[in-house]
Amino acid sequence: MAEAHQAVAFQFTVTPEGIDLQMSHQALTEIYLSGMRSWKKRIIRLKNSVITGVYPASPSSWLFVVIAILATMYTRSDPSMGLIAKIQEHLPVSQSMSTQCQAVVSAVLFSTMLWLLLIFTMRLCLKQLLSYHRWMFEQHGKMSNTTKVWVALVRIFSGRKPLLYSYQGSLPNLPVPAIKDTVKRYLESVRPLMDDTKYERMTKLAEEFESSLGNRLQWYLKLKALWASNYVSDWWEEYIYLRGRSPIMVNSNYYGMDFLYVTPTPIQAARAGNSIHAFFLYRRKLNKEEIKPWLLRSAVPCCSYQFERMFDTCRIPGTLTDTVQHWQDSDYIVVYHRGRYFRLRVYQAGRLLSPREIEFQIQRILDDPSPPCKGEAKLGALTAGDRIPWAKARMKYFSSGVNKRSLDCIEKAAFFVALDDDEQGMMGDDPAASLDRYAKSLLHGKCYDRWFDKSFSVVYYKNGKNGINAEHSWADAPVLSHLWEFTLAFDSFQLGYNAEGHCKGDVDSSLPRPQKLSWEIPPECEEQISQSLAVAQALADDVDFHVFPFQDFGKGKIKKCRVSPDAFIQMALQLAYYRDQKRFCLTYEASMTRLFREGRTETVRSCTNESRAFVQAADVCSRLFRTALEKHQLLYRLAMTGAGIDRHLFCLYVVSKYLGVESPFLKEVLSEPWRLSTSQTPVQLSEMFDPVNHPEYVSPGGGFGPVADDGYGVSYCVVGDCMINFHISCKRSCPVTDTHKFGAQIRKALHDLLQLLSPTQKEPSKLFHCHL
């Protein structure tokens, strides 16, 4: 086999004259260049660690402080007030060191300590400044003098040219809200969902919890908050994601779509060549920390820790809990095509392969006629089924030999690639139905042609469309969407294609062929694969999806009405759900807490007393609508600034479990179903796209599966000023939910709300017929 020969650095034969060594210069060159690449990465990481470690100062500022102290000493003044002399007294006595030399060394040591003290002071000041959040509660466009001064101070203490992780040491810790505040906000959030009897019962449970067990649990939580960087995130990752024993496909993983209206090339291998190259360029920027930290209002930094495990990461199944493992930079990806797995190296002689060379290698895989190994074709179904059977099968059948080597290859790859023989995207006589099929394909595929445990898997379709499927435990959607936006933009606007649709550049045809992975799957393992596939297939068949771009208006018209686009959409969802189900429900809207160190998400409970009053109103809708919008904005801001409800209650529940005590209140709170689960996919790299000159280059964003068996999952993406894309999911087995009917209600609600706020409307609204 060619691959085996490429892997041998030297050969030897025994002759009568002795041992004859035959060195392979190509292999030794590869080893040398690989080592050089590894050392370069280490040096870059060390340099970045130093720069980040002294931020907001710079390493060169140390030299400035040393020169300044030495200069003052030569003017016969003592800026240290005797400390330099004290340091000189305690220096190890050396006959080879003169008195003047000792004085200089002492001055350098004092300068270094002074420099470190200044860094600590600046970082402490920046941390205190970033703990100020009153700016968020001010009316948009009207900044108080206090906030203006605060912004100026933040910019002064922030230093220049921050790296991706520069702000990490200066971010404040997530505060633990007071028990009474959380309980009060919780009771207010469930009031519109309960009648008087149920609400009175819940109030009694809450009061009993607040006055007794709550204070004890709160003490432990405050102790954790003092010790840990974030009192929520590690428990959230473990108990919400990693300890889940049901399939992560549909239930946890989410997806992102390609451009809606254009396909840069119809050639599958070419599209893979450009975008895989772009992925690795992004990883290079990530390793060098050249990605700019995300700043709110161009001044307030957000936590970047979730970027650390983007590449070279895999979720590993366990019987009790899964784990997330991250390795050093892999120089290859794993590609799945027609039941076979291939290892494709993307570095040759220490350089990243060009897009044209990657296209050439991908085409080799597409043209490879070899059949799958016995049991290999549907092996990926193990990652799509229940976690415990997968953990046991991994331990029993993949812990040694060829299976372990092949599985290690998949798990340690930079990311996973699936080459799909289907055609997807908006196409044909029924573009709406094609988008629905596209969403289902990205979310679950055939249930065995994705590796759902990888941090992300990229899917390339036969017609040149692509998409991404992501595992959720390592990071939230905004982090992955940053990578996805970069890749889409770089693929189309930076790399481009030639007139035939192929990647640009030349090909080195001597590149070693992609290596086909080998497997030895016993019949018992095949049986487990079949069982996992049956579980996953039943789950996938039950998912109903509806994806539609809403183009009648967008955030441009909404902002003209002086309201928040997100709050507007959330109220439209409340109105649509009430019209669809004739009731209100507990509503989940994801909000980030990345203003704090290692922050992830918090819940905004969008169904409020104010939104209920508005939906049920008759002729006073405009006033009530604005009141509901203002309340939603307040809740969103509270969630972002650490004063949310659900993460605090969740952590109190975890503490109660550790202590072995039962709380009827917490048990009831944590068991309430989210029948309407919503999330906005943000557009973060708008500077890489030109919506004015290239309005067709828009992505509809992505989506996720339903959270409750009788509920909806709704993801939306606000693109430019004139488009809002919706992704709606539910379960076919539920008789009362239907994604297409709900989508129609959302469209109608959006129009009705805009008409309600339109300044040209003259007559009182008669859109609503339910009376107060």
Side-chain angles (χ1 to χ4, degrees):
M1 292 174 64
E3 297 84 7
H5 289 300
Q6 290 290 340
V8 177
F10 66 91
Q11 301 172 3
F12 69 91
T13 56
V14 180
T15 67
E17 290 77 22
I19 298 176
D20 179 24
L21 294 177
Q22 299 174 5
M23 307 297 291
S24 169
H25 295 290
Q26 180 183 353
L28 290 177
T29 302
E30 286 285 344
I31 292 171
Y32 168 75
L33 292 172
S34 178
M36 288 297 295
R37 179 169 164 264
S38 177
W39 276 105
K40 284 179 182 178
K41 287 180 182 177
R42 292 181 189 180
I43 293 169
I44 289 171
R45 286 192 177 111
L46 178 62
K47 182 192 75 171
N48 289 343
S49 296
V50 172
I51 294 173
T52 301
V54 302
Y55 195 83
S58 63
S60 59
S61 63
W62 171 81
L63 187 61
F64 175 80
V65 173
V66 170
I67 293 172
I69 295 297
L70 290 173
T72 54
M73 287 180 62
Y74 280 108
T75 61
R76 296 188 177 181
S77 60
D78 185 5
S80 70
M81 296 181 291
L83 282 174
I84 293 177
K86 287 284 186 184
I87 294 172
Q88 189 172 344
E89 288 177 15
H90 292 86
L91 278 177
V93 178
S94 174
Q95 295 179 353
S96 61
M97 189 180 292
S98 65
T99 304
Q100 186 177 5
C101 185
Q102 289 181 29
V104 170
V105 171
S106 301
V108 171
L109 288 174
F110 170 77
S111 302
T112 302
M113 289 189 291
L114 178 62
W115 179 65
L116 292 173
L117 180 63
L118 289 172
I119 290 171
F120 176 78
T121 304
M122 290 178 68
R123 188 172 287 185
L124 188 64
C125 290
L126 183 57
K127 194 169 189 173
Q128 292 301 314
L129 286 168
L130 295 178
S131 298
Y132 170 85
H133 297 123
R134 199 174 300 168
W135 60 273
M136 194 177 291
F137 295 88
E138 295 176 351
Q139 189 174 347
H140 191 67
K142 295 183 179 179
M143 189 182 295
S144 66
N145 290 330
T146 303
T147 300
K148 289 178 182 176
V149 172
W150 170 78
V151 169
L153 289 172
V154 167
R155 286 176 175 162
I156 290 171
F157 281 97
S158 288
R160 294 182 177 181
K161 296 181 179 179
L163 298 175
L164 177 62
Y165 303 118
S166 291
Y167 289 107
Q168 294 300 98
S170 303
L171 291 172
N173 289 1
L174 183 69
V176 182
I179 282 278
K180 64 176 183 179
D181 293 340
T182 298
V183 170
K184 179 183 176 183
R185 282 195 286 267
Y186 168 77
L187 290 173
E188 185 182 354
S189 74
V190 296
R191 185 65 187 96
L193 308 173
M194 296 180 176
D195 57 29
D196 293 342
T197 304
K198 288 183 179 178
Y199 182 71
E200 186 178 345
R201 173 181 167 276
M202 182 55 75
T203 301
K204 288 180 180 178
L205 287 175
E207 290 173 350
E208 182 182 339
F209 170 77
E210 182 183 343
S211 61
S212 56
L213 181 60
N215 291 323
R216 182 185 172 196
L217 302 179
Q218 180 81 343
W219 185 86
Y220 283 97
L221 213 53
K222 285 185 175 180
L223 187 64
K224 187 192 177 190
L226 289 173
W227 176 254
S229 299
N230 190 296
Y231 80 93
V232 175
S233 293
D234 58 339
W235 284 351
W236 186 254
E237 180 178 308
E238 180 178 358
Y239 292 105
I240 297 301
Y241 294 119
L242 298 179
R243 288 216 180 191
R245 303 293 80 197
S246 60
I248 60 174
M249 183 200 78
V250 174
N251 293 325
S252 179
N253 285 30
Y254 55 95
Y255 67 85
M257 284 185 168
D258 192 8
F259 293 122
L260 189 60
Y261 300 113
V262 296
T263 306
T265 176
I267 302 173
Q268 185 178 18
R271 191 72 196 283
N274 259 10
S275 59
I276 289 172
H277 185 83
F279 276 121
F280 279 93
L281 291 180
Y282 185 94
R283 190 179 75 167
R284 182 183 294 169
K285 290 169 68 71
L286 186 61
N287 289 339
K288 292 181 178 181
E289 299 184 30
E290 293 174 352
I291 296 169
K292 295 178 182 178
W294 192 15
L295 302 179
L296 294 183
R297 303 281 180 94
S298 302
V300 189
C302 294
C303 181
S304 300
Y305 99 102
Q306 294 182 54
F307 284 85
E308 295 173 2
R309 298 182 292 180
M310 182 177 286
F311 293 90
D312 320 292
T313 298
C314 192
R315 177 171 175 157
I316 308 299
T319 52
L320 178 63
T321 181
D322 293 354
T323 55
V324 176
Q325 288 196 17
H326 174 69
W327 291 270
Q328 292 299 321
D329 294 344
S330 301
D331 63 355
Y332 68 92
I333 56 175
V334 167
V335 181
Y336 176 90
H337 178 242
R338 291 184 181 174
R340 296 91 43 86
Y341 293 86
F342 294 85
R343 174 183 179 136
L344 171 56
R345 292 188 178 275
V346 291
Y347 282 88
Q348 174 78 1
R351 68 170 179 85
L352 177 63
L353 296 184
S354 70
R356 186 71 182 90
E357 289 171 327
I358 297 175
E359 177 190 351
F360 176 71
Q361 295 289 67
I362 292 291
Q363 192 61 51
R364 279 177 158 179
I365 293 174
L366 290 169
D367 296 339
D368 190 314
S370 61
C373 299
K374 187 175 182 294
E376 178 186 14
K378 298 180 180 180
L379 178 65
L382 290 171
T383 68
D386 291 321
R387 302 306 291 174
I388 293 177
W390 171 210
K392 290 180 178 178
R394 187 179 186 276
M395 192 180 302
K396 187 173 181 180
Y397 306 114
F398 299 91
S399 57
S400 63
V402 64
N403 287 350
K404 184 181 190 305
R405 290 193 295 273
S406 294
L407 181 62
D408 282 349
C409 183
I410 293 175
E411 292 178 341
K412 295 179 181 179
F415 54 91
F416 188 82
V417 167
L419 301 177
D420 205 311
D421 286 336
D422 294 337
E423 296 187 357
Q424 298 291 351
M426 180 185 280
M427 56 188 183
D429 298 330
D430 192 351
S434 65
L435 278 180
D436 299 347
R437 290 193 298 271
Y438 183 21
K440 281 180 66 67
S441 175
L442 287 175
L443 187 65
H444 54 68
K446 295 182 177 69
C447 301
Y448 58 80
D449 52 352
R450 318 277 185 259
W451 200 265
F452 295 101
D453 287 354
K454 283 299 289 181
S455 53
F456 65 91
S457 301
V458 192
V459 185
Y460 297 96
Y461 295 101
K462 191 175 182 179
N463 59 340
K465 279 291 181 186
N466 67 4
I468 195 165
N469 179 289
E471 200 276 318
H472 209 326
S473 64
W474 64 274
D476 300 309
V479 174
L480 190 78
S481 68
H482 191 277
L483 164 69
W484 190 235
E485 287 178 44
F486 173 89
T487 305
L488 289 178
F490 206 87
D491 170 14
S492 297
F493 301 120
Q494 303 295 324
L495 297 174
Y497 301 87
N498 63 23
E500 290 77 30
H502 292 283
C503 297
K504 298 175 181 177
D506 299 320
V507 179
D508 178 4
S509 57
S510 67
L511 288 171
R513 296 183 68 86
Q515 178 186 356
K516 185 176 180 297
L517 301 186
S518 299
W519 307 88
E520 294 176 358
I521 309 296
E524 314 90 75
C525 184
E526 286 190 72
E527 177 62 29
Q528 183 54 64
I529 291 171
S530 298
Q531 291 176 13
S532 294
L533 180 58
V535 171
Q537 195 66 60
L539 180 60
D541 291 343
D542 196 24
V543 175
D544 183 29
F545 248 100
H546 181 40
V547 180
F548 67 92
F550 181 83
Q551 295 174 281
D552 297 347
F553 61 87
K555 70 177 181 182
K557 280 192 176 181
I558 297 172
K559 282 186 173 181
K560 286 181 180 178
C561 300
R562 298 183 179 180
V563 298
S564 157
D566 182 72
F568 182 94
I569 295 169
Q570 284 292 325
M571 289 307 106
L573 292 176
Q574 287 299 309
L575 177 58
Y577 186 87
Y578 184 75
R579 288 170 169 175
D580 183 62
Q581 298 290 316
K582 305 299 184 289
R583 61 174 177 173
F584 297 95
C585 74
L586 193 62
T587 305
Y588 183 112
E589 181 189 5
S591 163
M592 73 161 191
T593 55
R594 287 171 60 196
L595 292 175
F596 302 95
R597 190 170 184 177
E598 296 185 15
R600 290 200 59 161
T601 60
E602 178 56 277
T603 304
V604 179
R605 293 178 167 231
S606 301
C607 182
T608 61
N609 290 318
E610 289 79 0
S611 66
R612 175 172 179 149
F614 151 65
V615 170
Q616 291 182 327
D619 297 327
V620 287
C621 289
S622 181
R623 177 177 58 82
L624 291 177
F625 183 32
R626 289 190 178 274
T627 302
L629 292 171
E630 289 170 6
K631 181 58 179 284
H632 180 270
Q633 282 294 90
L634 174 63
L635 292 177
Y636 201 95
R637 289 161 178 161
L638 286 171
M640 286 186 67
T641 54
I645 300 168
D646 290 277
R647 300 302 177 267
H648 186 202
L649 293 175
F650 160 75
C651 288
L652 290 170
Y653 181 74
V654 173
V655 173
S656 74
K657 288 298 181 183
Y658 278 129
L659 296 178
V661 293
E662 287 290 333
S663 167
F665 171 70
L666 290 176
K667 187 176 181 180
E668 192 150 334
V669 168
L670 271 294
S671 64
E672 293 169 342
W674 300 98
R675 291 192 174 90
L676 186 54
S677 181
T678 71
S679 179
Q680 179 181 177
T681 304
V683 177
Q684 301 168 77
L685 295 175
S686 54
E687 72 277 3
M688 295 189 73
F689 296 89
D690 185 359
V692 176
N693 295 320
H694 300 284
E696 70 277 15
Y697 283 90
V698 295
S699 169
F704 52 87
V707 174
D709 290 340
D710 59 347
Y712 291 108
V714 181
S715 174
Y716 53 95
C717 181
V718 181
V719 183
D721 286 337
C722 304
M723 177 185 284
I724 307 169
N725 292 305
F726 288 91
H727 301 247
I728 310 168
S729 64
C730 73
K731 292 198 172 180
R732 300 183 195 273
S733 56
C734 178
V736 297
T737 56
D738 184 299
T739 57
H740 289 78
K741 287 182 179 178
F742 190 48
Q745 292 288 11
I746 291 174
R747 289 188 188 90
K748 186 176 187 307
L750 289 168
H751 279 289
D752 290 347
L753 296 190
L754 186 69
Q755 184 180 348
L756 187 65
L757 289 178
S758 174
T760 59
Q761 187 168 329
K762 298 178 181 179
E763 297 181 4
S765 174
K766 295 181 180 178
L767 302 171
F768 308 94
H769 306 290
C770 298
H771 294 276
L772 288 168

